Amino acid sequence: MPMTPTQQPPCPSARASFVRGIRLGFPIFLGYVPVGAAFGVLARSWGFNPLQATVCSATALAGAGQFIGLSLMKAGADVASVLIATTVVNLRYVLFGATLSPHIKSAPPLGQAALAYSVTDETFAVNMNDIRHGTSNTWSMAGVGVVAWTGWVAGTALGALGSSLIGDPSRFGVEFAMPAMFTALLVAQAEDKRHVIVGVIAAALAIACALVLPGKWYIIAAAMGAATAGTVIYR
């Protein structure tokens, strides 16, 4: 009896992959809206008009870097100081980009640039989890990036336009939105005890380094230290 050849599932279309990426990134959207609104309120209280605040989020997409930049500008820091501080905080994206680069080579240069622009802590985590399951492609990454960007910009616009009604955003506990989102991403990615152990090492290093290192250097130190420890332990 002749053997029937194995049927390979069809490759998803660009549209289907993009829509799937939007679904994957929707929890990020939900987390970014309140935090973006908090940024919009703060930007308005520190002299930005709604358009300036929204354009800042639309062109920067830097999260913590934007909050730090605002704080420095309010304190009277010069442009060089703001640029240096935000660059240090965002150095971790160099590591993210290096990790993702082998997986986006099929995209044209402009597409790679757009995907690189959309990289945040949360989109990186979601895309890496998708890559591990072998279901990621450049179109799904684009969907994740677009929905995350939309949430951040929409939240900023809402906060900036409604700042007079919102008042102090801390009353609504928006500061917890980002830690809660990171916790959910960690739980989703921790598939075995190795991931849990490396996560614990990263947390311990972050706390220890925050006590001795200035500014936000503890983020970089903890990420590199935990990655190194994981490589050595599970060589």
Side-chain angles (χ1 to χ4, degrees):
M1 181 177 180
M3 295 182 65
T4 303
T6 302
Q7 296 293 324
Q8 296 293 331
C11 294
S13 65
R15 179 178 178 180
S17 295
F18 184 79
V19 171
R20 191 177 68 83
I22 290 176
R23 291 199 302 268
L24 288 175
F26 191 69
I28 302 177
F29 174 92
L30 296 178
Y32 275 6
V33 168
V35 182
F39 174 79
V41 172
L42 289 175
R44 287 285 285 146
S45 68
W46 292 350
F48 282 51
N49 63 40
L51 178 60
Q52 289 171 332
T54 304
V55 170
C56 179
S57 285
T59 56
L61 192 62
Q66 290 179 225
F67 283 98
I68 291 170
L70 275 182
S71 301
L72 291 173
M73 285 187 283
K74 184 181 180 182
D78 56 36
V79 174
S81 298
V82 174
L83 290 175
I84 291 172
T86 52
T87 298
V88 169
V89 170
N90 291 323
L91 277 176
R92 64 191 185 279
Y93 293 124
V94 176
L95 303 177
F96 293 169
T99 304
L100 286 172
S101 61
H103 306 285
I104 64 173
K105 288 182 177 179
S106 60
L110 285 178
Q112 293 183 29
L115 290 173
Y117 168 74
S118 72
V119 173
T120 66
D121 301 82
E122 295 78 19
T123 61
F124 173 79
V126 168
N127 285 326
M128 286 306 300
N129 189 57
D130 204 26
I131 289 169
R132 287 213 317 255
H133 288 87
T135 51
S136 176
N137 58 41
T138 54
W139 282 106
S140 66
M141 291 184 189
V144 173
V146 165
V147 74
W149 180 89
T150 302
W152 183 247
V153 176
T156 300
L158 288 173
L161 291 171
S163 58
S164 60
L165 300 175
I166 295 174
D168 182 8
S170 62
R171 293 182 300 145
F172 305 102
V174 295
E175 295 91 345
F176 186 68
M178 196 71 78
M181 184 164 33
F182 278 123
T183 303
L185 291 170
L186 175 62
V187 171
Q189 292 193 87
E191 296 180 344
D192 54 44
K193 68 177 183 180
R194 294 180 303 167
H195 298 150
V196 175
I197 290 173
V198 173
V200 170
I201 292 173
L205 285 175
I207 294 172
C209 292
L211 298 175
V212 297
L213 295 179
K216 301 296 181 180
W217 280 102
Y218 71 92
I219 299 175
I220 307 299
M224 296 185 67
T228 302
T231 301
V232 171
I233 296 172
Y234 301 109
R235 186 183 300 275

